[in-house]
mmCIF file of all heavy atoms in Angstrom:
data_model
loop_
_atom_site.group_PDB
_atom_site.id
_atom_site.type_symbol
_atom_site.label_atom_id
_atom_site.label_comp_id
_atom_site.label_asym_id
_atom_site.label_seq_id
_atom_site.Cartn_x
_atom_site.Cartn_y
_atom_site.Cartn_z
ATOM 1 N N ALA C 1285 -9.761 -19.821 1.601
ATOM 2 C CA ALA C 1285 -10.911 -18.908 1.701
ATOM 3 C C ALA C 1285 -11.367 -18.496 0.333
ATOM 4 O O ALA C 1285 -10.547 -18.232 -0.566
ATOM 5 C CB ALA C 1285 -10.609 -17.746 2.570
ATOM 6 N N GLU C 1286 -12.655 -18.416 0.167
ATOM 7 C CA GLU C 1286 -13.304 -17.978 -1.073
ATOM 8 C C GLU C 1286 -13.804 -16.547 -0.884
ATOM 9 O O GLU C 1286 -14.481 -16.224 0.061
ATOM 10 C CB GLU C 1286 -14.504 -18.882 -1.438
ATOM 11 C CG GLU C 1286 -15.249 -18.440 -2.665
ATOM 12 C CD GLU C 1286 -16.496 -19.246 -2.884
ATOM 13 O OE1 GLU C 1286 -16.918 -19.968 -2.037
ATOM 14 O OE2 GLU C 1286 -17.045 -19.160 -4.020
ATOM 15 N N PHE C 1287 -13.391 -15.697 -1.877
ATOM 16 C CA PHE C 1287 -13.708 -14.274 -1.801
ATOM 17 C C PHE C 1287 -15.147 -13.996 -2.381
ATOM 18 O O PHE C 1287 -15.503 -14.532 -3.451
ATOM 19 C CB PHE C 1287 -12.741 -13.397 -2.534
ATOM 20 C CG PHE C 1287 -11.428 -13.332 -1.760
ATOM 21 C CD1 PHE C 1287 -10.500 -14.302 -1.793
ATOM 22 C CD2 PHE C 1287 -11.209 -12.221 -0.901
ATOM 23 C CE1 PHE C 1287 -9.336 -14.282 -1.027
ATOM 24 C CE2 PHE C 1287 -10.065 -12.214 -0.176
ATOM 25 C CZ PHE C 1287 -9.102 -13.211 -0.206
ATOM 26 N N ASP C 1288 -15.922 -13.229 -1.664
ATOM 27 C CA ASP C 1288 -17.312 -12.939 -2.022
ATOM 28 C C ASP C 1288 -17.443 -12.029 -3.268
ATOM 29 O O ASP C 1288 -18.335 -12.252 -4.125
ATOM 30 C CB ASP C 1288 -18.068 -12.233 -0.893
ATOM 31 C CG ASP C 1288 -18.220 -13.162 0.314
ATOM 32 O OD1 ASP C 1288 -17.979 -14.375 0.215
ATOM 33 O OD2 ASP C 1288 -18.628 -12.603 1.366
ATOM 34 N N ARG C 1289 -16.551 -11.033 -3.366
ATOM 35 C CA ARG C 1289 -16.630 -10.105 -4.479
ATOM 36 C C ARG C 1289 -15.172 -9.785 -4.888
ATOM 37 O O ARG C 1289 -14.260 -10.055 -4.177
ATOM 38 C CB ARG C 1289 -17.312 -8.787 -4.050
ATOM 39 C CG ARG C 1289 -18.693 -8.995 -3.596
ATOM 40 C CD ARG C 1289 -19.486 -7.665 -3.424
ATOM 41 N NE ARG C 1289 -18.792 -6.620 -2.696
ATOM 42 C CZ ARG C 1289 -19.270 -5.437 -2.548
ATOM 43 N NH1 ARG C 1289 -20.411 -5.075 -3.089
ATOM 44 N NH2 ARG C 1289 -18.634 -4.512 -1.874
ATOM 45 N N GLY C 1290 -15.063 -9.199 -6.094
ATOM 46 C CA GLY C 1290 -13.752 -8.819 -6.556
ATOM 47 C C GLY C 1290 -13.208 -7.616 -5.876
ATOM 48 O O GLY C 1290 -13.974 -6.853 -5.243
ATOM 49 N N GLY C 1291 -11.908 -7.481 -5.862
ATOM 50 C CA GLY C 1291 -11.288 -6.328 -5.210
ATOM 51 C C GLY C 1291 -9.777 -6.472 -5.296
ATOM 52 O O GLY C 1291 -9.231 -7.281 -6.001
ATOM 53 N N VAL C 1292 -9.112 -5.679 -4.429
ATOM 54 C CA VAL C 1292 -7.678 -5.650 -4.424
ATOM 55 C C VAL C 1292 -7.155 -5.930 -2.985
ATOM 56 O O VAL C 1292 -7.641 -5.341 -1.994
ATOM 57 C CB VAL C 1292 -7.125 -4.283 -4.890
ATOM 58 C CG1 VAL C 1292 -5.605 -4.264 -4.795
ATOM 59 C CG2 VAL C 1292 -7.638 -3.987 -6.260
ATOM 60 N N LEU C 1293 -6.272 -6.907 -2.910
ATOM 61 C CA LEU C 1293 -5.522 -7.146 -1.643
ATOM 62 C C LEU C 1293 -4.180 -6.340 -1.702
ATOM 63 O O LEU C 1293 -3.496 -6.530 -2.728
ATOM 64 C CB LEU C 1293 -5.215 -8.643 -1.438
ATOM 65 C CG LEU C 1293 -6.393 -9.562 -1.144
ATOM 66 C CD1 LEU C 1293 -5.873 -10.979 -1.098
ATOM 67 C CD2 LEU C 1293 -7.023 -9.171 0.200
ATOM 68 N N ASP C 1294 -3.941 -5.603 -0.674
ATOM 69 C CA ASP C 1294 -2.644 -4.806 -0.646
ATOM 70 C C ASP C 1294 -1.816 -5.197 0.584
ATOM 71 O O ASP C 1294 -2.364 -5.534 1.600
ATOM 72 C CB ASP C 1294 -2.975 -3.309 -0.488
ATOM 73 C CG ASP C 1294 -3.518 -2.698 -1.698
ATOM 74 O OD1 ASP C 1294 -2.839 -2.789 -2.764
ATOM 75 O OD2 ASP C 1294 -4.582 -2.001 -1.646
ATOM 76 N N ARG C 1295 -0.515 -5.124 0.384
ATOM 77 C CA ARG C 1295 0.391 -5.314 1.552
ATOM 78 C C ARG C 1295 -0.037 -4.268 2.610
ATOM 79 O O ARG C 1295 -0.293 -3.103 2.296
ATOM 80 C CB ARG C 1295 1.818 -5.068 1.085
ATOM 81 C CG ARG C 1295 2.822 -5.239 2.227
ATOM 82 C CD ARG C 1295 4.305 -5.055 1.784
ATOM 83 N NE ARG C 1295 4.592 -6.059 0.803
ATOM 84 C CZ ARG C 1295 5.279 -5.888 -0.301
ATOM 85 N NH1 ARG C 1295 5.628 -4.665 -0.631
ATOM 86 N NH2 ARG C 1295 5.513 -6.913 -1.062
ATOM 87 N N GLY C 1296 -0.165 -4.655 3.818
ATOM 88 C CA GLY C 1296 -0.574 -3.779 4.905
ATOM 89 C C GLY C 1296 -2.063 -3.855 5.228
ATOM 90 O O GLY C 1296 -2.450 -3.403 6.286
ATOM 91 N N ASP C 1297 -2.858 -4.535 4.404
ATOM 92 C CA ASP C 1297 -4.333 -4.697 4.740
ATOM 93 C C ASP C 1297 -4.421 -5.470 6.022
ATOM 94 O O ASP C 1297 -3.646 -6.412 6.254
ATOM 95 C CB ASP C 1297 -5.028 -5.453 3.626
ATOM 96 C CG ASP C 1297 -5.348 -4.572 2.402
ATOM 97 O OD1 ASP C 1297 -5.148 -3.350 2.424
ATOM 98 O OD2 ASP C 1297 -5.850 -5.152 1.407
ATOM 99 N N GLU C 1298 -5.405 -5.131 6.811
ATOM 100 C CA GLU C 1298 -5.667 -5.848 8.061
ATOM 101 C C GLU C 1298 -6.533 -7.027 7.791
ATOM 102 O O GLU C 1298 -7.537 -6.884 7.073
ATOM 103 C CB GLU C 1298 -6.294 -4.883 9.066
ATOM 104 C CG GLU C 1298 -5.355 -3.780 9.478
ATOM 105 C CD GLU C 1298 -5.985 -2.787 10.476
ATOM 106 O OE1 GLU C 1298 -7.221 -2.697 10.537
ATOM 107 O OE2 GLU C 1298 -5.211 -2.147 11.196
ATOM 108 N N VAL C 1299 -6.222 -8.114 8.428
ATOM 109 C CA VAL C 1299 -7.017 -9.357 8.278
ATOM 110 C C VAL C 1299 -7.746 -9.613 9.595
ATOM 111 O O VAL C 1299 -7.090 -9.608 10.661
ATOM 112 C CB VAL C 1299 -6.143 -10.543 7.927
ATOM 113 C CG1 VAL C 1299 -6.953 -11.821 7.733
ATOM 114 C CG2 VAL C 1299 -5.336 -10.241 6.634
ATOM 115 N N TRP C 1300 -9.045 -9.836 9.524
ATOM 116 C CA TRP C 1300 -9.887 -9.932 10.727
ATOM 117 C C TRP C 1300 -10.681 -11.211 10.634
ATOM 118 O O TRP C 1300 -11.205 -11.594 9.595
ATOM 119 C CB TRP C 1300 -10.873 -8.791 10.789
ATOM 120 C CG TRP C 1300 -10.179 -7.451 11.102
ATOM 121 C CD1 TRP C 1300 -9.631 -6.627 10.064
ATOM 122 C CD2 TRP C 1300 -10.022 -6.804 12.316
ATOM 123 N NE1 TRP C 1300 -9.147 -5.534 10.755
ATOM 124 C CE2 TRP C 1300 -9.372 -5.626 12.077
ATOM 125 C CE3 TRP C 1300 -10.324 -7.156 13.640
ATOM 126 C CZ2 TRP C 1300 -8.986 -4.735 13.121
ATOM 127 C CZ3 TRP C 1300 -9.993 -6.313 14.654
ATOM 128 C CH2 TRP C 1300 -9.339 -5.097 14.383
ATOM 129 N N PHE C 1301 -10.791 -11.908 11.763
ATOM 130 C CA PHE C 1301 -11.688 -13.001 11.978
ATOM 131 C C PHE C 1301 -12.673 -12.535 13.086
ATOM 132 O O PHE C 1301 -12.269 -12.451 14.250
ATOM 133 C CB PHE C 1301 -10.986 -14.248 12.379
ATOM 134 C CG PHE C 1301 -11.833 -15.386 12.867
ATOM 135 C CD1 PHE C 1301 -12.927 -15.774 12.141
ATOM 136 C CD2 PHE C 1301 -11.508 -16.051 14.001
ATOM 137 C CE1 PHE C 1301 -13.734 -16.827 12.606
ATOM 138 C CE2 PHE C 1301 -12.273 -17.115 14.468
ATOM 139 C CZ PHE C 1301 -13.396 -17.485 13.724
ATOM 140 N N GLY C 1302 -13.912 -12.126 12.677
ATOM 141 C CA GLY C 1302 -14.789 -11.515 13.625
ATOM 142 C C GLY C 1302 -14.193 -10.238 14.139
ATOM 143 O O GLY C 1302 -13.790 -9.393 13.324
ATOM 144 N N ASP C 1303 -14.125 -10.060 15.458
ATOM 145 C CA ASP C 1303 -13.545 -8.833 16.017
ATOM 146 C C ASP C 1303 -12.099 -9.043 16.440
ATOM 147 O O ASP C 1303 -11.502 -8.219 17.089
ATOM 148 C CB ASP C 1303 -14.362 -8.349 17.226
ATOM 149 C CG ASP C 1303 -14.440 -9.318 18.326
ATOM 150 O OD1 ASP C 1303 -13.915 -10.499 18.204
ATOM 151 O OD2 ASP C 1303 -15.045 -9.010 19.402
ATOM 152 N N ARG C 1304 -11.495 -10.153 15.976
ATOM 153 C CA ARG C 1304 -10.047 -10.437 16.275
ATOM 154 C C ARG C 1304 -9.167 -10.092 15.077
ATOM 155 O O ARG C 1304 -9.391 -10.644 13.969
ATOM 156 C CB ARG C 1304 -9.858 -11.867 16.671
ATOM 157 C CG ARG C 1304 -8.410 -12.187 16.967
ATOM 158 C CD ARG C 1304 -8.218 -13.582 17.498
ATOM 159 N NE ARG C 1304 -6.810 -13.763 17.791
ATOM 160 C CZ ARG C 1304 -6.320 -14.832 18.397
ATOM 161 N NH1 ARG C 1304 -7.124 -15.799 18.680
ATOM 162 N NH2 ARG C 1304 -5.056 -14.912 18.671
ATOM 163 N N ARG C 1305 -8.275 -9.233 15.276
ATOM 164 C CA ARG C 1305 -7.295 -8.900 14.220
ATOM 165 C C ARG C 1305 -6.223 -10.031 14.135
ATOM 166 O O ARG C 1305 -5.513 -10.236 15.148
ATOM 167 C CB ARG C 1305 -6.637 -7.532 14.521
ATOM 168 C CG ARG C 1305 -5.702 -7.009 13.415
ATOM 169 C CD ARG C 1305 -5.198 -5.606 13.845
ATOM 170 N NE ARG C 1305 -4.309 -5.082 12.879
ATOM 171 C CZ ARG C 1305 -2.995 -5.272 12.855
ATOM 172 N NH1 ARG C 1305 -2.403 -6.077 13.752
ATOM 173 N NH2 ARG C 1305 -2.227 -4.741 11.917
ATOM 174 N N VAL C 1306 -6.150 -10.659 12.996
ATOM 175 C CA VAL C 1306 -5.277 -11.731 12.835
ATOM 176 C C VAL C 1306 -3.835 -11.244 12.532
ATOM 177 O O VAL C 1306 -2.873 -11.755 13.020
ATOM 178 C CB VAL C 1306 -5.761 -12.718 11.742
ATOM 179 C CG1 VAL C 1306 -4.725 -13.873 11.470
ATOM 180 C CG2 VAL C 1306 -7.101 -13.277 12.050
ATOM 181 N N GLY C 1307 -3.815 -10.203 11.682
ATOM 182 C CA GLY C 1307 -2.513 -9.611 11.309
ATOM 183 C C GLY C 1307 -2.667 -8.750 10.055
ATOM 184 O O GLY C 1307 -3.800 -8.279 9.813
ATOM 185 N N THR C 1308 -1.563 -8.551 9.350
ATOM 186 C CA THR C 1308 -1.633 -7.695 8.172
ATOM 187 C C THR C 1308 -1.011 -8.515 6.976
ATOM 188 O O THR C 1308 -0.074 -9.239 7.189
ATOM 189 C CB THR C 1308 -0.858 -6.386 8.366
ATOM 190 O OG1 THR C 1308 0.506 -6.681 8.688
ATOM 191 C CG2 THR C 1308 -1.482 -5.532 9.423
ATOM 192 N N VAL C 1309 -1.538 -8.159 5.794
ATOM 193 C CA VAL C 1309 -0.990 -8.808 4.591
ATOM 194 C C VAL C 1309 0.420 -8.405 4.424
ATOM 195 O O VAL C 1309 0.779 -7.235 4.343
ATOM 196 C CB VAL C 1309 -1.837 -8.438 3.352
ATOM 197 C CG1 VAL C 1309 -1.207 -9.005 2.091
ATOM 198 C CG2 VAL C 1309 -3.275 -9.000 3.498
#
Side-chain angles (χ1 to χ4, degrees):
E1286 178 183 13
F1287 286 83
D1288 295 348
R1289 299 192 313 174
V1292 178
L1293 290 175
D1294 286 307
R1295 182 178 295 137
D1297 282 353
E1298 295 178 337
V1299 181
W1300 294 83
F1301 169 47
D1303 60 357
R1304 180 175 183 173
R1305 185 176 178 272
V1306 176
T1308 58
V1309 173

